[in-house]
Amino acid sequence: MKTNTKKTAVILLAVLIIISLTGCSLMGNSKKTYANYVQSLLDVNYKADFTNYMKITNSTQEEAQTVYDDGLNYLADALMVAYGINDVEGSDIKSQFVELAKEIYSHASYEIEGVTKTDGVYQVSVNIQPIDILLITYDDVVTYIEDMNQRVTNGFYNDYELDAYEIEYAQGIIDILNDSLPNVGNGETVTVTVTILDNDEYYYISDADFLALDKAILATTMTGGADEVEEGNATVSEEENAPE
C-alpha cells in the first residue's frame, strides 16, 4: 500500500450550511416578528427546536427535520474535509461525524440582542458565544497526525489495506473529538447583525447573512501572537512515504 501522510491541521472553514430561507408573510411584521424569525432559524439549525420555525415558515415537521439533518450532514462533511478524512464504504465514519455534529451543535449559545430600523430597513443583531471544540482539541489533533505520519514513514502501515488505514486514522480523530465533549465551552461574545429583506410579499435573510451567523457559531481561530491559528490546512508533508 502507498500511503500519503496526513495534513496537520485542521481549523475549519465557515461551515457550508444553507438553510431553508423560505420567505415569511409580511403580514404583522414588527421588530418582535423579525427577532422571532431569526431566533427560529438558529433554533431549527442548531437546537433541533422546530416549533417556531414551523409556525413562522408554515413548514411541516418533516421539512424542519430535513433542515436540521442537512445542517448536521454539512458539518460532518466539513469536519471530514478539514481533517483530511476519507469515508470508507461499509464503515461508520460518516455516521460518527454526524453524531459528533449533533453533540457540537448542542453547545450552541446565542441570543437576540435587538432589532433596529434605519431608513425603513430592519436589522437583527445576534450575540453568539462560539463553540470552542476545534480550539481545545487543536494540539491533540496535531500531535496525533504527526505521530501517525511518523508511523507511516517508519513503515508501520506497509501491510495495511488502504481502507483499514483510513478507518484507523479517522477513528483517532473521532476519539479525540468525542473525548473533548465534556470540556467543550464557549468563547467571548461575537455580535452578528443580519438584514431583513423583503420583496413586498415575504421577508427573509440572505444566505450570506446566515453564513455569517453560522461562521460565528463555531470558533475556528485563536488570536494572540504565536497562538494564532489561521483557517485552512497546514501541510506537514505530501510525500508518499510508505512503500508499496
Side-chain angles (χ1 to χ4, degrees):
M1 179 195 76
K2 279 192 174 181
T3 304
N4 287 337
T5 54
K6 293 293 182 179
K7 291 183 178 180
T8 357
V10 307
I11 292 284
L12 204 58
L13 40 119
V15 178
L16 297 178
I17 295 178
I18 304 298
I19 62 163
S20 173
L21 294 177
T22 304
C24 304
S25 171
L26 284 172
M27 295 179 61
N29 58 357
S30 67
K31 289 184 176 182
K32 183 176 180 180
T33 298
Y34 295 144
N36 287 341
Y37 168 60
V38 174
Q39 180 79 38
S40 77
L41 294 180
L42 295 166
D43 290 345
V44 72
N45 276 276
Y46 305 120
K47 299 295 189 181
D49 183 347
F50 305 153
T51 305
N52 287 335
Y53 179 82
M54 292 168 59
K55 180 179 179 180
I56 292 171
T57 65
N58 197 30
S59 300
T60 65
Q61 173 86 22
E62 182 179 3
E63 289 169 335
Q65 182 71 54
T66 297
V67 172
Y68 178 64
D69 289 344
D70 285 349
L72 297 182
N73 277 287
Y74 276 116
L75 178 56
D77 288 340
L79 288 170
M80 290 173 66
V81 169
Y83 290 115
I85 290 172
N86 299 312
D87 200 5
V88 175
E89 186 176 355
S91 75
D92 64 349
I93 291 173
K94 176 62 181 292
S95 63
Q96 287 196 71
F97 271 100
V98 170
E99 287 302 309
L100 265 170
K102 185 183 298 184
E103 292 298 322
I104 290 170
Y105 279 157
S106 73
H107 293 274
S109 178
Y110 49 81
E111 61 181 2
I112 304 298
E113 179 187 23
V115 183
T116 59
K117 180 182 180 183
T118 305
D119 297 330
V121 177
Y122 287 89
Q123 291 187 309
V124 180
S125 295
V126 184
N127 290 333
I128 297 172
Q129 294 78 45
I131 305 165
D132 66 4
I133 186 169
L134 300 183
L135 306 188
I136 66 174
T137 58
Y138 181 81
D139 288 343
D140 287 342
V141 168
V142 170
T143 297
Y144 169 72
I145 294 174
E146 289 177 345
D147 287 348
M148 193 159 191
N149 286 345
Q150 187 60 54
R151 291 199 297 274
V152 169
T153 300
N154 293 342
F156 182 85
Y157 295 105
N158 286 3
D159 295 329
Y160 270 55
E161 294 294 330
L162 181 58
D163 283 354
Y165 168 77
E166 293 290 352
I167 290 170
E168 180 170 324
Y169 169 69
Q171 193 60 55
I173 298 293
I174 290 166
D175 289 345
I176 291 171
L177 295 174
N178 274 324
D179 289 347
S180 76
L181 288 172
N183 301 316
V184 169
N186 299 86
E188 294 183 5
T189 299
V190 175
T191 301
V192 178
T193 299
V194 300
T195 299
I196 301 296
L197 305 173
D198 74 74
N199 59 8
D200 296 326
E201 185 177 0
Y202 298 103
Y203 62 87
Y204 55 98
I205 67 171
S206 68
D207 286 348
D209 272 356
F210 183 80
L211 289 174
L213 292 169
D214 183 69
K215 185 175 182 180
I217 288 289
L218 190 61
T220 60
T221 59
M222 294 182 292
T223 57
D227 292 332
E228 185 171 357
V229 178
E230 298 291 347
E231 294 179 12
N233 288 329
T235 303
V236 173
S237 174
E238 289 298 323
E239 296 178 0
E240 293 179 324
N241 288 324
E244 294 183 14

